[in-house]
Amino acid sequence: MATCAVSPQNGFYMNSIQPNSFLSVPTGPLQISDLSSVTGNADNVLTLFSLVIPTYNEAANIQKIISVLSSLLDETIPGKYELIVVDDDSPDGTWKIAQSLMVKYPQLRVMRRQDERGLSSAVIRGWQAATGDVLGVIDADLQHPPHVLLQLLQAIQQGADLAVASRHVEGGGVSSWSFMRRFLSRGAQLLGLILLPGVLGRVSDPMSGYFLVRRRCVVGKILNPVGYKILLEVIGRGIVGKIAEVGYVFCERKEGESKVTWKQYVDYIHHLIRLRLSTGFLGQFSQRIGFPIGRFVRFGLVGFSGVFVDMVVLYLLSDPTTLSLPLTRSKIIAGEVAILNNFLWNDIWTFADVSRAQLQGSQRLKRFLKFNMICLAGLVLNVLVLNLVFNFVIPNRYVANLIAIAIATVWNFWVNLKLSWRVTQVK
Ligand code: GDD
Ligand code: MN
């Protein structure tokens, strides 16, 4: 491996910054660009390796991990690497400690995220800001032994596209996991193998959060992870040729706490299903024609639930056996309740990836108002199309109504996609 010394700052192009300032947080889709658009110059790559260290409440570990990684990499690739801490505004002030370390460790960069959360997206945001040709990730809590990094780098240098630290190959293991944790970990792997054999079957430890990948394998792919398992996303959506695995022992955590809860298991299953759908036949077709079929199907299902809600409310308000309010007034209320129902499901399901990045109440309210306006316009369109089709094309009111509903649904979907749930700068 080339070890020519380069002055530390030379590797940094775009974000060559004031000492101590934070990296700005990339916004928009979780997509990694090629080096020329990051550094402005693809031929003169000086940062060989960008290692992201995601942190949440790691105040007790951050100094140690930075110091160990720095001395390791200063020996092997001095000046040709960068360490990128991505902290989600930890209440224990991890970001502040990391920031103060930048003076001592010139290869260190720090990103403090305040509008977005989650391990996987933290890693991708870090990679988006990275200037290296090889991208990597390691936990901050020293459970991933740092020295293994050199073997991973070597594997990449010897031609691997992806080098994964694995607990399940020669030299690997877990230090003292309970039977329950082992069982859950293996059960999760088995489920993944059944749902996504082409992804999980390629590595012995698909749950690993310690790996290196060549930038070119993931360039241009929109990574869309849920929860913790970023490696699945890289293998599932990236173009990954040769994979190398290096055994490691997952050490016990000495400081701080693990952030794993039951939610991570639910997220994991959700992630598998999502990856299955989007990398399957339909997903590829959807990409080719540039229309989000999966999203549209979810939108349609939510629409169906709205019909049901509308009916129930109409019954409760206007039926002679219930409140027997006037029909028009009841229908307006029923329609509005259905719109609210649809909005909520679309916000937490159909467009979850977008709304998760824009969680403030005011942002949600804005989306709701836009959705409401667009749906009302959709209703007008519905009536117009019904009349046109019925009077001039097919003189059957039910067929005409179906056509009108179909057109209004596509309208509602498309305009909401473009206007209500769009990724905007969240400042
Ligand atoms: N920025 C950010 N945001 N970092 C986070 C978040 C988050 O929401 N949640 C966790 N982290 C950081 C932690 O601070 C730590 O550095 C790392 O991500 C892993 O989190 P842990 O909570 O320590 O996870 P773990 O020890 O249970 O699991 C790890 O090992 C598994 C087995 O190899 C993770 O690396 C898993 O990805 C891995 O599969
Ligand atoms: Mn950990």
Side-chain angles (χ1 to χ4, degrees), residues 174 176-187 265:
V174 288
S176 59
W177 275 17
S178 66
F179 171 77
M180 192 59 181
R181 183 144 190 210
R182 278 171 211 261
F183 176 78
L184 286 174
S185 173
R186 285 304 202 176
Y265 290 98

Side-chain angles (χ1 to χ4, degrees), residues 54 56 58 88 139-141 143 207 229 248 253 259-260:
Y56 192 74
E58 300 289 0
D88 285 359
D139 288 358
D141 55 9
Q143 290 193 278
M207 312 300 159
K229 302 304 168 193
Y248 84 98
R253 202 185 238 278
K259 282 91 211 168
V260 171

Side-chain angles (χ1 to χ4, degrees), residues 246-304:
V246 176
Y248 84 98
V249 177
F250 191 69
C251 314
E252 282 307 296
R253 202 185 238 278
K254 295 202 178 66
E255 304 287 345
E257 280 170 22
S258 167
K259 282 91 211 168
V260 171
T261 59
W262 277 102
K263 185 174 177 297
Q264 261 82 51
Y265 290 98
V266 176
D267 280 352
Y268 169 71
I269 293 170
H270 182 188
H271 189 188
L272 287 179
I273 294 172
R274 190 170 185 154
L275 206 51
R276 167 76 271 171
L277 291 176
S278 60
T279 56
F281 168 75
L282 208 61
Q284 282 174 5
F285 178 67
S286 158
Q287 254 178 14
R288 206 167 315 134
I289 62 171
F291 183 84
I293 298 176
R295 229 194 259 283
F296 183 65
V297 169
R298 279 177 272 163
F299 191 84
L301 289 174
V302 169
F304 268 118

Side-chain angles (χ1 to χ4, degrees), residues 14 39 46 48 62 69 76 99 113 116 124 145 168 171 200 208-209 221 258 269 278 290 326 391 394 398 408:
M14 200 171 69
T39 63
L46 288 177
L48 180 70
I62 189 71
L69 289 172
T76 27
Q99 188 186 27
R113 298 199 307 167
E116 228 174 23
I124 301 168
H168 308 308
L200 282 93
S208 178
K221 307 287 173 205
S258 167
I269 293 170
S278 60
N391 290 316
I394 307 167
Y398 302 106

